[in-house]
Amino acid sequence: MLKGMTSQRLIALSLTGIVFLNFPLLALWDKDIHVLGWPLLPFGLFLIWGILIAALAWVMEKRKTS
């Protein structure tokens, strides 16, 4: 079972994901702008989703340095 700082980081990462993928902040991305040919909303969703996956991988693969 995960203990200590890893659990706290996973909880914080989950809460961050909930906040960033919830309506009030997603409304900021709903503009008529295109980035690399994509509308801004799907581009922002994939960007946030990718960052969350990368952060999750970093937290889970981090080795103890003690």
Side-chain angles (χ1 to χ4, degrees), residues 46-60:
F46 282 120
L47 181 69
I48 292 169
W49 183 53
I51 290 170
L52 287 172
I53 290 173
L56 174 65
W58 179 73
V59 167
M60 293 305 295

Side-chain angles (χ1 to χ4, degrees), residues 7-20 52 56:
S7 293
Q8 292 176 12
R9 288 181 179 144
L10 290 175
I11 291 170
L13 191 57
S14 298
L15 292 175
T16 302
I18 289 170
V19 168
F20 279 117
L52 287 172
L56 174 65

Side-chain angles (χ1 to χ4, degrees), residues 11-66:
I11 291 170
L13 191 57
S14 298
L15 292 175
T16 302
I18 289 170
V19 168
F20 279 117
L21 295 173
N22 213 340
F23 171 69
L25 289 180
L26 281 182
L28 295 174
W29 295 88
D30 195 17
K31 306 279 188 226
D32 192 22
I33 300 171
H34 288 76
V35 177
L36 300 174
W38 285 47
L40 188 60
L41 182 61
F43 183 78
L45 283 174
F46 282 120
L47 181 69
I48 292 169
W49 183 53
I51 290 170
L52 287 172
I53 290 173
L56 174 65
W58 179 73
V59 167
M60 293 305 295
E61 293 295 325
K62 190 172 181 181
R63 306 232 187 258
K64 290 186 179 182
T65 58
S66 56

